[in-house]
């Protein structure tokens, strides 16, 4: 495969911008060079957060705030399930469209299930 085969020609892309000022790293794409760039970029936040809880999502949020043009952002992940009001055992398919690539099941949602 070539970079042209990747979404957005290999530019690092985040598909789940469901939190304020950042994105959830639930679905990401990019070329090897872009993954290397982002890995180095988010690792720069580790020393300044010593002793704090800093995971991939928080580091990505910091990176996106400091580098607003550093990643491509697209709304392609549904943040939750939508159920039909009349038949709650069924999904409400009107809430979904062909631009959605995936569904995000958060850690909290899977624990509550």
């Amino acid at each position: 495969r070539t970079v042209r085969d990747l979404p957005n020609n290999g530019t690092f892309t985040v598909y789940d911008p469901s939190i304020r000022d950042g994105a959830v790293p639930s679905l990401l794409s990019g070329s090897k060079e872009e993954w290397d760039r982002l890995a180095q970029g988010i690792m720069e936040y580790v020393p300044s957060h010593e002793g704090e809880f800093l995971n991939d999502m928080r580091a990505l949020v910091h990176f996106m705030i400091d580098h607003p043009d550093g990643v491509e952002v697209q709304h392609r992940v549904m943040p939750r399930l939508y159920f039909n009001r009349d038949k709650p055992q069924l999904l409400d398919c009107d809430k979904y469209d062909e631009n959605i690539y995936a569904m995000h099941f958060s850690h909290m949602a899977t624990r509550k299930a």
Side-chain angles (χ1 to χ4, degrees):
R1 294 196 160 254
T2 67
V3 170
R4 286 188 303 267
D5 294 329
L6 294 169
N8 301 309
N9 294 317
T11 299
F12 197 88
T13 305
V14 176
Y15 298 96
D16 191 356
S18 59
I19 62 172
R20 195 185 95 238
D21 295 327
V24 176
S26 63
L27 184 61
L28 310 166
S29 70
S31 67
K32 177 195 177 307
E33 293 78 16
E34 285 288 279
W35 277 96
D36 288 345
R37 179 179 67 84
L38 259 289
Q40 290 174 0
I42 65 173
M43 289 304 291
E44 291 177 8
Y45 296 99
V46 173
S48 62
H49 290 85
E50 187 175 340
E52 298 175 27
F53 176 70
L54 181 71
N55 62 9
D56 56 340
M57 183 173 73
R58 290 176 188 221
L60 182 60
V61 167
H62 287 295
F63 183 87
M64 292 176 70
I65 290 170
D66 293 344
H67 307 280
D69 296 325
V71 299
E72 174 75 21
V73 177
Q74 296 183 0
H75 296 267
R76 303 283 189 180
V77 175
M78 289 298 288
R80 60 184 289 267
L81 293 173
Y82 294 95
F83 292 96
N84 186 301
R85 286 181 188 235
D86 298 326
K87 297 180 182 177
Q89 71 276 19
L90 300 176
L91 290 177
D92 184 352
C93 295
D94 292 336
K95 300 281 187 191
Y96 306 93
D97 64 44
E98 67 275 359
N99 295 316
I100 298 301
Y101 292 168
M103 173 66 62
H104 179 196
F105 294 97
S106 69
H107 297 291
M108 184 185 316
T110 56
R111 279 195 302 267
K112 288 182 176 180

